[in-house]
Amino acid sequence: MTGDLHTGAGGEAAPVTGVASERAVATETTREAWNTRLGFVLAAVGSAVGLGNMWRFSYITAEKGGAAFVILYILMTLVVGIPIMMAEFALGRGTRRSSIGALRLTGGPRWAPLGYLFIAAGILILSFYSVIAGWVMRYALRGIASGFPTEAAEYFDQIASGAPAMGFHLVFMIVTIGIVMGGVQKGIERASVIMMPALFLIVVGLAVWASTLAGSGAGYRFYLTPNFEALLSLDTLAAAASQAFFSLSLGMGCMLTFSSYLSRQESLPREATVISFADFSVAFISGLVVFPVIFALGLQGAVGASTLGALFISLPGAFLEMGGVGRIVGVLFFTALFIGALTSAISLLEVVVSALIDEWRIPRRTAAIGAGILITLIGLWPAADLNALGAIDAVVSNIFLPVGALGTALFVGWLMKNPIDEVAHGAADGLRPWLKGWLWTLRIVVPILLVLVLSSSLPATREALAGLFGGG
Ligand code: TRP
């Protein structure tokens, strides 16, 4: 077992199982590994924290009536999010393979298609995610160069699709590809270790600033006072579960892939908890920026009204009205959003690249460039047509991710041999009794909730597709 020396990731022999020889081959080829535990945590937090926290979270919270949704979201993070993240970690770290290989090694070739579904989801998400990230870059640069536009809605219409959107999508993809080409330590880890603390500081600073705004009280009331009728709705519950696993980057092997570079000495339950808590904190604190700002300026109607464009229209409008301070605050806000988007995009591309490296032994640089070009080309479609963007988002978020998460939960819960052993490896001894609870949550509770999510989001998916093909 000299392979473990090369990985630098744990210094311990892999358990002897039927797949030990294949695993030994994999580790001998010097599989990459994280340099430090903090590097892994920040990279995973970087994957989790993104447009989902600062943009999707705000508009869904607004749409679903505020605080009640936030409570359900916390609950779903605990009940669905952390257990699925631990399941992905068990698969990734246990096999030291990216998604396709991890599933095949654990469950046999019949399970490889679930891995292909993950890869397809990653490609599709990144294709539109990058377009939105392009808008974010554009707003940040515009804020720096000449201030936020006076006609926010018209400006958004101009830049959101067509040639301008394609250009920024291209630039964003080039940056993402460049970082992934650098590898796990020198690319992904280094970028995350530098950028994530910056993002956190900006968001906290903005929340403190927002508390000083006159009229912010109405925003806090909306955001923090629950309406208990909404709490009881199944629909809101499903929306909360779906937001939780989008935000935590679950359901497509992202966390699985990242954990395949992790040492067996680290505690998986601890890492899952830390990462989920950090992800929730950034979402929650972003709400402490967005809602006071929007309510202080009486713009609340704008957020609930449109989904995709909401933040890109109402927030720049608010920043403009606030004059010089607004411009600085706005640039900081869009910079934080850009950082979040970039570290998430890196993780999406890495899922694809890691599979190309593991399964087809394609060199990292070639894999990153090839996959990157493919995704850039697919992204031209959502960049050309907002309806396409909405439709891809709906299909992937409402179908691919819940199906992927359901598959992962059932696979680890019912099929994987001794998942508790893998999860307990490196964890505190006192945790063991709790891990039985984790396993049964994966077996029963998570599948029920995911079926609920799947069924309740079907109408929205159908609507998004109708918007695409009906041309409206
Ligand atoms: N979690 C990221 C966000 O909140 C987006 C993301 C990255 C993602 N990787 C993912 C979503 C994998 C689902 C699956 O913006």
Side-chain angles (χ1 to χ4, degrees):
M1 279 295 156
T2 52
D4 288 285
L5 295 175
H6 296 292
T7 64
E12 179 183 326
V16 179
T17 65
V19 295
S21 57
E22 195 181 340
R23 188 175 294 163
V25 171
T27 47
E28 260 163 41
T29 55
T30 59
R31 184 174 182 72
E32 294 175 85
W34 303 106
N35 190 26
T36 63
R37 177 195 161 217
L38 184 69
F40 162 72
V41 170
L42 287 177
V45 172
S47 168
V49 170
L51 300 170
N53 301 61
M54 305 176 69
W55 166 71
R56 202 171 186 269
F57 173 76
S58 304
Y59 85 64
I60 293 183
T61 301
E63 200 177 82
K64 299 291 174 189
F69 176 79
V70 179
I71 293 176
L72 287 178
Y73 174 62
I74 297 177
L75 198 71
M76 289 301 104
T77 299
L78 295 174
V79 174
V80 186
I82 294 180
I84 299 183
M85 192 181 292
M86 284 166 61
E88 290 203 13
F89 284 171
L91 275 173
R93 195 185 66 172
T95 58
R96 298 207 180 139
R97 284 302 178 85
S98 52
S99 43
I100 299 174
L103 289 161
R104 199 190 52 240
L105 279 180
T106 320
R110 271 183 309 147
W111 284 88
L114 184 59
Y116 288 101
L117 180 80
F118 290 168
I119 307 296
I123 291 173
L124 289 174
I125 294 180
L126 185 51
S127 77
F128 74 83
Y129 201 85
S130 165
V131 174
I132 301 172
W135 304 344
V136 171
M137 280 171 77
R138 174 118 199 187
Y139 273 94
L141 293 174
R142 165 85 196 227
I144 293 170
S146 56
F148 292 102
T150 38
E151 300 295 335
E154 277 153 36
Y155 182 75
F156 178 74
D157 280 346
Q158 272 170 28
I159 66 132
S161 44
M166 290 178 189
F168 277 83
H169 157 65
L170 180 67
V171 172
F172 184 80
M173 281 305 300
I174 291 173
V175 177
T176 306
I177 294 168
I179 294 174
V180 172
M181 276 169 65
V184 172
Q185 280 188 17
K186 296 212 172 94
I188 302 173
E189 183 167 354
R190 186 183 287 170
S192 309
V193 168
I194 297 170
M195 291 195 290
M196 291 317 291
L199 179 148
F200 201 75
L201 284 179
I202 295 177
V203 176
V204 170
L206 290 179
V208 172
W209 163 81
S211 70
T212 65
L213 289 175
S216 59
Y220 290 128
R221 267 194 298 285
F222 172 78
Y223 185 37
L224 303 173
T225 324
N227 151 12
F228 285 99
E229 260 162 49
L231 259 186
L232 296 177
S233 128
L234 273 187
D235 196 50
T236 312
L237 186 75
S242 133
Q243 171 63 17
F245 64 74
F246 183 88
S247 183
L248 291 170
S249 302
L250 299 172
M252 51 146 287
C254 233
M255 291 299 172
L256 186 164
T257 302
F258 271 16
S259 70
S260 73
Y261 307 123
L262 181 67
S263 154
R264 291 196 83 226
Q265 281 158 358
E266 308 301 350
S267 163
L268 298 180
R270 178 191 62 195
E271 310 306 35
T273 309
V274 169
I275 294 162
S276 302
F277 182 76
D279 181 65
F280 171 76
S281 305
V282 174
F284 186 74
I285 299 170
S286 301
L288 293 177
V289 180
V290 170
F291 291 107
V293 168
I294 285 178
F295 278 74
L297 290 157
L299 294 168
Q300 46 271 33
V303 182
S306 121
T307 49
L308 266 180
L311 276 191
F312 292 96
I313 295 170
S314 51
L315 275 181
F319 295 142
L320 183 74
E321 278 187 45
M322 291 174 185
V325 177
R327 186 161 162 192
I328 296 168
V329 164
V331 168
L332 286 172
F333 181 85
F334 282 107
T335 303
L337 203 51
F338 169 73
I339 293 174
L342 182 59
T343 48
S344 297
I346 292 169
S347 74
L348 287 161
L349 184 57
E350 178 64 17
V351 169
V352 185
V353 167
S354 182
L356 291 171
I357 297 173
D358 281 356
E359 296 300 304
W360 294 281
R361 316 225 170 255
I362 297 174
R364 172 173 284 276
R365 296 179 137 256
T366 318
I369 294 173
I373 290 177
L374 174 73
I375 294 168
T376 307
L377 291 177
I378 296 176
L380 293 178
W381 185 36
D385 178 1
L386 266 187
N387 286 322
L389 196 159
I392 300 175
D393 180 9
V395 170
V396 183
S397 305
N398 299 341
I399 299 176
F400 283 42
L401 294 181
V403 169
L406 182 63
T408 306
L410 294 174
F411 184 86
V412 172
W414 293 103
L415 241 120
M416 187 178 173
K417 285 199 192 67
N418 306 325
I420 289 186
D421 285 347
E422 180 55 39
V423 165
H425 203 285
D429 287 338
L431 266 173
R432 255 197 178 260
W434 290 88
L435 294 178
K436 273 217 148 56
W438 164 68
L439 196 61
W440 283 99
T441 308
L442 271 189
R443 288 180 171 172
I444 313 270
V445 182
V446 169
I448 293 175
L449 283 165
L450 285 171
V451 168
L452 184 72
V453 168
L454 270 166
S455 55
S456 84
S457 57
L458 281 183
T461 314
R462 216 174 289 133
E463 203 178 300
L465 286 173
L468 181 61
F469 296 115

